[in-house]
Amino acid sequence: MKIATRQLAQHLKKGLAPLYCVHGAEALLALEAADALRAAARASGCDEREVFTAEPGADWARLGASAANLSLFSARRLLEVRIPSGKPGVEGGKALEALCARLPEDTVVLVTLPELEWQQLKAAWFGALENAGVVVEARAISREELPQWLAERFAAQGQQARLETPEGMADRVEGNLLAAKQEVAKLALLLPPGEIALADLRETVTDVSRFEREALVEAVHAGDAGRIARAVDSLEAEGEPAPLLMWALAEEMRLLMQLTAGERPRRFLDPARLEAARRTARRHDERSFG
């Protein structure tokens, strides 16, 4: 079973599954999801917690031994399996499959992983985790989704905002979700419950936006001149070498030329990313690239 982090709270109202796997591109959301699962485990009676960290050279036999051991101090326990690299290797993959095949009783298993590549998502060990429990994906918040995410955070702390307020704040925090969370929390301290005006936001919220090269490419496909300018300024301020930016834009130009000519892309692309490029290509013809 797969769910997004925003669905986790509703899911937990129905009770705990025996196993959870948290992974994804957005570290803040992954951390919050793992914290929510730990809290739910404690509330369900998991007073004991064991942690297995898969560092280089880890003894995966210890995981099997931990799973087989009975809890000594409580009726239920939480068994955490942390894989910082996202690559358990052959031995680790087999250990995870064995764990999923025979989940320990009176135990909630929590596996935490970073963002995974597509090959890892198709691995047998990841499929075993998905079949045995619930996979929670901490997907990155896009620029289009960010205002709604901010509005939900405002509501959680008793504040509301008109549509233009989250939109304006999104420009100041894009690409930096942890700082966005801190800025929202700051508004709860500085402003009373109720409606947040755009003027209050402009006086209070610091511009903490941060852009990667990929965000610049996304802005180009969206035709958003203002976002393109902010991305270039941010990348320049962070010392991004100009040749790398030119290379990224040139690569995107080659991709658009391939799509416009009806050719297949010569590199693997995420489906959503490919569709954005196709929409841009449909707005042009071969003469546009001359």
Side-chain angles (χ1 to χ4, degrees):
M1 178 181 179
K2 292 181 181 179
I3 63 172
T5 50
R6 67 177 182 276
Q7 299 171 299
L8 182 58
Q10 188 64 32
H11 164 82
L12 289 175
K13 292 179 180 179
K14 302 174 184 177
L16 276 169
L19 180 145
Y20 289 90
C21 171
V22 178
H23 77 99
E26 187 50 68
L28 171 64
L29 299 184
L31 178 62
E32 290 181 337
D35 284 344
L37 288 166
R38 293 185 189 104
R42 286 194 300 271
S44 72
C46 293
D47 298 324
E48 184 180 340
R49 182 173 67 143
E50 293 184 46
V51 179
F52 174 83
T53 302
E55 297 174 332
D59 181 7
W60 282 95
R62 283 183 48 234
L63 177 61
S66 295
N69 288 339
L70 297 176
S71 175
L72 298 177
F73 305 105
S74 65
R76 287 169 60 79
R77 62 174 175 160
L78 174 66
L79 174 59
E80 283 195 42
V81 183
R82 300 175 180 175
I83 312 176
S85 68
K87 299 177 180 179
V90 176
E91 183 184 1
K94 291 180 179 178
L96 290 172
E97 291 177 52
L99 174 66
C100 293
R102 192 172 182 178
L103 289 171
E105 296 182 3
D106 298 323
T107 300
V108 175
V109 178
L110 171 58
V111 180
T112 55
L113 297 154
E115 181 180 12
L116 300 178
E117 299 174 356
W118 68 270
Q119 297 97 326
Q120 295 161 305
L121 293 173
K122 293 184 177 296
W125 59 266
F126 187 81
L129 292 172
E130 184 179 349
N131 292 332
V134 179
V135 172
V136 184
E137 183 182 6
R139 186 171 53 84
I141 303 294
S142 70
R143 174 59 181 81
E144 291 73 22
E145 297 168 325
L146 188 53
Q148 179 61 33
W149 185 87
L150 292 169
E152 291 171 357
R153 296 277 165 149
F154 287 145
Q157 60 191 33
Q159 295 176 314
Q160 301 83 39
R162 295 180 181 178
L163 180 62
E164 64 271 14
T165 303
E167 282 286 348
M169 186 171 178
D171 289 341
R172 297 191 173 202
V173 300
E174 180 183 358
N176 198 345
L177 208 61
L178 177 58
K181 177 185 177 181
Q182 294 169 339
E183 291 297 318
V184 170
K186 183 172 73 175
L187 288 172
L189 295 173
L190 298 178
L191 301 175
E195 185 171 310
I196 301 173
L198 184 57
D200 292 331
L201 183 145
R202 286 172 176 163
E203 293 177 1
T204 307
V205 176
T206 306
D207 189 340
V208 292
S209 59
R210 187 177 63 203
F211 293 83
E212 304 290 342
R213 289 197 300 271
E214 189 66 22
L216 173 60
V217 173
E218 290 174 1
V220 169
H221 287 309
D224 188 336
R227 190 177 176 213
I228 292 171
R230 291 194 300 275
V232 170
D233 288 344
S234 174
L235 289 164
E236 183 179 22
E238 293 178 13
E240 185 78 7
L244 284 180
L245 289 181
M246 296 302 296
W247 172 81
L249 293 174
E251 281 290 292
E252 208 62 20
M253 182 70 75
R254 293 188 188 95
L255 172 63
L256 293 175
M257 292 174 68
Q258 292 165 16
L259 294 174
T260 301
E263 301 176 10
R264 294 182 61 183
R266 296 170 190 170
R267 55 191 169 102
F268 175 81
L269 292 171
D270 175 85
R273 172 81 172 70
L274 180 58
E275 180 56 32
R278 283 177 172 154
R279 285 196 299 269
T280 302
R282 285 195 288 268
R283 297 199 298 265
H284 298 274
D285 54 33
E286 294 184 2
R287 288 175 296 179
S288 301
F289 302 107

